[in-house]
Amino acid sequence: MLKKKSKYVVAVVGATGAVGNEMVAVLEERNFPVEKLRLFASERSEGKTMNFHDKPVAVEILSEKVFKGIDIALFSAGAERSLHYAPISAKEGCVVVDNSSAWRMDPAVPLVVPEVNPHDLKWHKGIIANPNCSTIQMVVALKPIHDAAKIKRVVVTTFQSVSGTGKKAMDELLHQTADILNFKEAKASVYPHQIAFNCLPHIDKFMEDGYTKEEIKMFNETKKIMGDNSIRVTATTVRVPVFRGHSESINIETEKNISPNEVRALLSTAPGIIVFDAPEKNIYPLPTIAAGRDEVYVGRIRKDDTVENGINIWIAADNLRKGAATNAVQIAEELIKMA
Ligand code: A2P
């Protein structure tokens, strides 16, 4: 458990990655009470420094011995590192907020989106899981609708940016785009196909039933975060040639009837949401609008007449911020409020 202090020793594990970079920026922007910031990555990053409040901080090599004296560690260095290092860190009394998939479905680990289930932080035992990026933005939009009209079923299709895969994927999209525009061959190494000027219905590994792990994460994590196993979720997750910002088309079936205007009113006062819904003026959520922001943008709110109580929405959010770094820092903010 975190002890009450005026300032905390905070670590970012995987600081040099796409999400890690953003974690450092979000800690700075939100003026998180940092006594000392420690940054960790692999040997590849030895000698690097990163700026925090205009001062350089050296990147250190991650090892089992580093966690003593650290109060809170934000992990984003992949599931393998989290599986190994998070329990070691928790044993040293350092609370881990883990952005990987390693601990999300462990029944002893809370999976938290502060707008949805902050109460689950009460039972953590040193590790808290940050949900999958596409799930976070979806549950922020679903929660107020669920509270008002009880969601029975969700059909979601995602349009996910390459930054969700990490820095190497962002470089791959950049290089492929430049190569194709220069009439050169596009080389694919991060993804199995060219991502530039393309859409890949394939995020994470395929499972035996034909779904991808990303899709299964959306089914299971939604139930755990919303605390309701009865919500049925089906998904198709698609990687698109966008650098930053995930979009989602969400079809929602509710038990009680709820009109698009009621949904609009509910969401416009809900935490973490910006209703961006004036199609007659070409106003609807876009990844370019959500990029750099912490809110989930919701628009194209309309009735689905093909079922008894159906609503369609279109949402966009910054996957590196609300989908990862901001949500992790918000969890840490909740933890210090509870300390
Ligand atoms: P490094 O930059 O030294 O490789 P991304 O998801 O954007 O690729 O970032 C992954 C992050 O995880 C990076 O900061 C990376 O550090 C870090 N990382 C990867 N492997 C290890 C490891 N074995 N030990 C510590 N950090 C690691």
Side-chain angles (χ1 to χ4, degrees):
M1 284 293 158
L2 197 65
K3 289 196 193 88
K4 184 109 199 137
K5 290 183 178 177
S6 59
K7 286 186 169 185
Y8 297 85
V9 180
V10 179
V12 176
V13 176
T16 51
V19 173
N21 252 292
E22 209 59 38
M23 284 170 162
V24 174
V26 173
L27 285 167
E28 179 175 316
E29 267 172 45
R30 295 174 75 96
N31 249 320
F32 194 87
V34 177
E35 155 102 57
K36 185 173 191 218
L37 182 69
R38 310 253 328 252
L39 304 176
F40 297 101
S42 75
E43 315 77 58
R44 292 180 290 273
S45 299
E46 203 176 1
K48 278 192 190 162
T49 60
M50 290 171 69
N51 271 4
F52 184 64
H53 288 299
D54 295 325
K55 290 199 185 93
V57 179
V59 177
E60 304 172 62
I61 300 173
L62 182 65
S63 80
E64 293 175 1
K65 300 191 187 85
V66 301
F67 297 102
K68 209 176 170 81
I70 297 173
D71 299 306
I72 303 168
L74 310 180
F75 272 57
S76 193
E80 237 176 86
R81 259 72 58 196
S82 296
L83 273 177
H84 182 73
Y85 290 103
I88 297 170
S89 170
K91 225 179 194 171
E92 291 282 2
C94 164
V95 181
V96 173
V97 182
D98 180 38
N99 190 53
S100 81
S101 60
W103 299 97
R104 289 183 190 147
M105 293 316 294
D106 186 321
V109 173
L111 181 67
V112 176
V113 176
E115 290 88 342
V116 180
N117 61 334
H119 49 270
D120 283 329
L121 287 173
K122 284 190 205 124
W123 51 271
H124 84 81
K125 297 181 184 73
I127 304 174
I128 295 139
N130 209 38
N132 173 259
C133 44
S134 40
T135 309
I136 292 179
Q137 67 182 72
M138 180 168 82
V139 295
V140 168
L142 293 184
K143 170 72 173 162
I145 302 172
H146 188 54
D147 288 347
K150 194 162 180 6
I151 295 174
K152 281 167 41 184
R153 180 169 182 256
V154 173
V155 182
V156 56
T157 306
T158 69
F159 303 71
Q160 298 182 223
S161 68
V162 295
S163 54
T165 317
K167 263 188 173 164
K168 279 190 200 128
M170 296 169 84
D171 290 343
E172 182 152 305
L173 173 58
L174 186 73
H175 293 137
Q176 286 182 357
T177 307
D179 285 345
I180 290 166
L181 292 176
N182 284 294
F183 305 103
K184 288 189 201 153
E185 189 199 340
K187 289 188 199 84
S189 64
V190 175
Y191 298 115
H193 301 280
Q194 172 191 317
I195 182 65
F197 309 99
N198 214 355
C199 296
L200 314 182
H202 175 183
I203 300 185
D204 211 328
K205 291 191 187 92
F206 279 104
M207 308 306 282
E208 261 180 26
D209 60 5
Y211 284 91
T212 63
K213 268 174 99 175
E214 183 82 353
E215 289 157 355
I216 293 164
K217 283 178 206 167
M218 292 192 84
F219 312 158
N220 296 335
E221 292 183 21
T222 300
K223 291 178 185 173
K224 181 166 175 181
I225 300 161
M226 305 269 278
D228 189 340
N229 266 329
S230 71
I231 303 174
R232 288 178 300 154
V233 181
T234 187
T236 304
T237 56
V238 183
R239 188 72 68 191
V240 294
V242 168
F243 282 100
R244 197 167 171 146
H246 290 355
S247 309
E248 296 176 8
S249 157
I250 311 176
N251 176 261
I252 304 156
E253 207 180 327
T254 55
E255 212 161 271
K256 282 202 254 163
N257 186 265
I258 187 163
S259 72
N261 273 340
E262 283 169 319
V263 170
R264 218 167 273 124
L266 265 180
L267 296 185
S268 59
T269 56
I273 291 178
I274 293 178
V275 173
F276 208 63
D277 195 22
E280 67 287 356
K281 294 185 209 141
N282 299 334
I283 291 175
Y284 31 72
L286 297 172
T288 48
I289 286 166
R293 302 283 311 212
D294 290 326
E295 301 87 355
V296 176
Y297 283 73
V298 184
R300 302 288 325 274
I301 301 169
R302 61 213 192 276
K303 193 163 174 49
D304 169 14
D305 275 330
T306 65
V307 288
E308 203 178 324
N309 300 318
I311 290 285
N312 278 312
I313 62 174
W314 169 262
I315 69 171
D318 186 326
N319 55 298
L320 296 180
R321 291 183 70 98
K322 185 56 192 167
T326 301
N327 199 70
V329 174
Q330 286 171 331
I331 289 174
E333 287 171 349
E334 289 294 323
L335 287 172
I336 61 176
K337 266 194 241 160
M338 285 165 44

